[in-house]
Structures are given as structure tokens and as C-alpha cells.
Amino acid sequence: MKKNKLAIILVSILSSILLLLVASILFIKNQAGAVDEGNSEQIRIEVPSGTSAHELASLLKSKGLIKNKDIFYFCARFPIFHRIATGRSNSLQLKSGVYHLSKNMSMDDMFDVLESGKQDYIVISIPEGLTISKIGKKLEERGVCSADDFRKACSDPEILEKYKIQNELSLCEGFLFPDTYYLNPTMQASAVVNLMIENFFNQAKQIPNIDLNDAEKINQTVRLASVIEREYRRPEEAPLISSVFHNRLKIGMGLYSCATVEYIITEIEGRSHPEVITYNDLKIDSPYNTYKWAGLPPGAISNPGKTALTAALNPAKTKYLYFRLIDAKSGKHVFTSDFSDHVNEGFSASTKK
């Protein structure tokens, strides 16, 4: 009799456990389902690098995308719960980024998206010749990072040491390669700077006569290329302009580049871009003033592209010491070796207008 009662009790307990287990499984499956099958509205979700499963669950719950943040967490963290809910046994391999989710998506659907790496990128094109401040402004306008954070990242001692950048004042200026970038709005400014510098060195490998192991030569090349970038208008003239600067450097003559004076006015002194460079501007006491000091400026004045970098390392073989813009519309220059010819060419060009 006692054995029968014990058997009945055991059967009852096992039945209760089984019912509880079935109920739990059904509950988990229900909570892992879509919040609203008929709502396909896309909701933008930002997942910064380092986001935990707890933080993600709270974020999705706050957006009304999941029914139960605890169930989401356990499914994301422990494969056994994921198997119960969806039949799949993997934990969530979350990737940072920006995603679009909707309330008609099941938890499993969201896992697929969050693991896919198909992120909502911001496509931004950085043209040749921009400065750190102008690049930072573009990044801020597009919602990537603040201009101030970008500027600070460009002066990070660790980044300067990592890439052996020797610019005295302009820091990462010159090493932010102009290109089209696919950026994540959750990226740190330092990550953007590193990406642009890495791109610089990858692109530089294709330039003839470059030695990426010679840090001093690379820094000198970047400084010269940054000036060439701001002076040439027609790609075929870049090697000729480079030859003028190389010839001036050889004899200890100043580069006499108005672009360096513009850099002082706009980037160092923070004034608006001048319509014309005056004689008083040419007297500004700054190491970047190539009308006052011979040699290269102490840092780059822009971020040059491949054309200017190639020209800096591979100048045309000429005796030219001067060049002058003779056609503003086409960007054509005239090149001369003698100052009197330079002046006469300038007079001739002015009388033709």
C-alpha cells in the first residue's frame, strides 16, 4: 500500500515537473517571438563596441523590439536557452555597428542581423588638400564624431609614436589619406584617425621610389607633398611644380608658397580664408611662412593625395625656379628659370586678360 502511494507521489511530482518544463519551454518560445507581427517599421539601433548582452537586451526592450529582456539575455548568453527558444544552439556573436530592426522580427531574426556585420555605414568622401579642421568639420556634419574629438585624436601621442609622425605643430596633418570611407557612427575619433593613416601607408606602397622604413624621409615627403597639393591644379603639372620646389631647396631658396601663408591665416590664426594674400601677410612671423624662412615648413599644411605624393618623390628634371598661374579657369601655369622671365611672363599674362 505504501509503495503504491509512493509511486503515485513520484508520478505526480514528475508530471508536475514535466508540465512545468513544457510550460517554461512554451513561455520562452513565446517571449522569443515577434512583439508585433504586423509592424514592419524599421527602428535604428546603435550598438557601440564593447556593448554587453545585458546592455543590448535593455536597449532593445526600451525600443519595444523584444518582449522580455531577461529571456533575450539568457538566449544571447547561454546556447541551451537559444536552442529551447529557436532550435539553434549558438550564443549571440554580437558585432558593433548600426542596424535596423523591427517589431515583426523574432529574436532569432534579430540574432541573424546583429551577427551579420551588415551595418548602417556613413559614406564620406575626403577630397585631396583638406586640413585636419576641415576633415573634422565634415565628420561632425555627417554624424561620425565631433570635430573637437577628431582634432584631439590627431594629437594623440600614442598615434604619433605608432606611425612615427614627426610634424612639430600640425601633428597628423598630411597622413590622413584623401579617399571615400565607410564609417560607423559609433566609431571613436581615434579609430577614424587610425583608419585614415593606415590607408595612407597602404596607398603609399604603390608610389615609385618610396621607402616606408625611412620615417624621416616620409615626413619630409609628406610636408613637401602637402604644399604641392595646394599649388597644382592640373595633374600633369604636379611634377613640374615639385621640380621648382626641389630646385629651390637645393640652393637654400625659400619655397615662397602662398599656400603656406594661407595655412597660417586659416589654421593657426583661425581667421577666414583671405581673398588675396597681402604683403603684410607675407611678413607673418611663423615657421610655416615659406616667404620668411627657407626649407620645408615644420609640418604638413594639408592632406595630399597620391598625385602630389608621387610628384614630391619623383619631380620632373628641370632647371625651373619659378611658376605662375596664367589661366585661372584651366589652372595652367607657366614655368621659368630666370626671375626676369618670371616677371615678364606675369606681365604678359596680365595684359592678355
Side-chain angles (χ1 to χ4, degrees):
M1 191 71 174
K2 288 182 178 180
K3 290 184 178 180
N4 289 337
K5 286 184 178 180
L6 181 58
I8 292 172
I9 292 172
L10 288 174
V11 170
S12 178
I13 292 173
L14 290 173
S15 298
S16 297
I17 292 173
L18 183 60
L19 288 172
L20 180 61
L21 182 60
V22 171
S24 298
I25 291 173
L26 292 174
F27 176 75
I28 292 173
K29 285 183 173 291
N30 176 267
Q31 295 300 293
V35 171
D36 185 352
E37 293 283 358
N39 190 342
S40 60
E41 179 187 356
Q42 297 283 296
I43 298 175
R44 190 171 181 270
I45 298 294
E46 295 186 12
V47 183
S49 179
T51 299
S52 68
H54 264 304
E55 293 168 333
L56 177 61
S58 296
L59 173 64
L60 297 179
K61 178 62 177 175
S62 69
K63 298 289 186 179
L65 287 164
I66 57 175
K67 297 177 180 179
N68 190 307
K69 67 178 183 179
D70 293 325
I71 296 298
F72 183 93
Y73 168 75
F74 282 115
C75 287
R77 190 75 176 77
F78 304 106
I80 183 62
F81 284 92
H82 195 193
R83 176 172 285 278
I84 292 171
T86 67
R88 295 167 57 185
S89 59
N90 61 303
S91 57
L92 175 62
Q93 303 300 312
L94 180 63
K95 295 182 180 179
S96 62
V98 178
Y99 302 95
H100 290 93
L101 305 176
S102 57
K103 294 182 180 180
N104 67 350
M105 296 174 68
S106 68
M107 190 179 297
D108 201 38
D109 293 333
M110 292 183 189
F111 276 27
D112 286 339
V113 173
L114 295 166
E115 291 179 332
S116 69
K118 295 179 180 178
Q119 304 169 1
D120 182 18
Y121 290 109
I122 295 174
V123 182
I124 181 168
S125 293
I126 305 298
E128 291 85 352
L130 292 194
T131 58
I132 286 173
S133 65
K134 290 182 173 64
I135 294 174
K137 184 178 180 181
K138 286 178 73 73
L139 293 172
E140 183 170 274
E141 289 173 349
R142 297 296 305 277
V144 177
C145 62
S146 74
D148 188 53
D149 285 346
F150 183 74
R151 179 185 58 78
K152 289 177 181 177
C154 286
S155 62
D156 185 340
E158 290 187 8
I159 292 178
L160 299 176
E161 175 63 26
K162 177 181 178 181
Y163 297 105
K164 296 181 173 58
I165 295 174
Q166 300 169 4
N167 289 340
E168 292 180 18
L169 300 176
S170 54
L171 309 173
C172 288
E173 197 86 88
F175 290 86
L176 307 172
F177 194 78
D179 207 342
T180 297
Y181 291 93
Y182 296 81
L183 304 176
N184 189 319
T186 62
M187 288 179 73
Q188 296 292 320
S190 58
V192 179
V193 173
N194 273 287
L195 179 65
M196 291 182 172
I197 298 177
E198 289 287 350
N199 192 25
F200 169 89
F201 283 101
N202 285 332
Q203 296 292 336
K205 292 175 184 177
Q206 305 170 29
I207 296 175
N209 299 318
I210 196 165
D211 182 359
L212 294 177
N213 295 316
D214 190 338
E216 183 177 356
K217 183 65 178 296
I218 291 296
N219 278 271
Q220 291 175 350
T221 298
V222 167
R223 293 176 196 179
L224 179 56
S226 74
V227 180
I228 296 171
E229 184 65 65
R230 298 297 298 155
E231 293 284 1
Y232 89 87
R233 297 270 297 280
R234 298 157 66 103
E236 66 271 18
E237 289 188 353
L240 293 171
I241 291 174
S242 178
S243 75
V244 170
F245 289 145
H246 274 276
N247 291 338
R248 288 177 179 179
L249 289 170
K250 285 177 184 177
I251 63 175
M253 179 179 174
L255 294 184
Y256 298 149
S257 169
C258 289
T260 61
V261 179
E262 290 176 1
Y263 184 83
I264 297 167
I265 293 170
T266 59
E267 300 299 323
I268 297 177
E269 297 185 348
R271 291 189 276 150
S272 58
H273 194 283
E275 291 186 10
V276 295
I277 299 295
T278 67
Y279 283 109
N280 284 334
D281 293 330
L282 301 183
K283 298 176 183 178
I284 297 175
D285 188 17
S286 168
Y288 280 83
N289 188 347
T290 55
Y291 279 87
K292 191 166 185 177
W293 306 103
L296 294 170
I301 65 165
S302 73
N303 288 279
K306 196 176 291 183
T307 297
L309 287 164
T310 301
L313 276 170
N314 302 274
K317 295 185 183 302
T318 75
K319 294 182 179 180
Y320 295 144
L321 288 173
Y322 307 95
F323 64 93
R324 178 189 292 274
L325 182 68
I326 60 171
D327 187 343
K329 185 176 181 180
S330 68
K332 182 177 177 58
H333 291 84
V334 64
F335 298 83
T336 55
S337 301
D338 184 84
F339 184 70
S340 59
D341 291 339
H342 175 64
V343 173
N344 291 333
E345 285 290 349
F347 177 76
S348 175
S350 64
T351 58
K352 291 178 182 178
K353 292 180 181 179

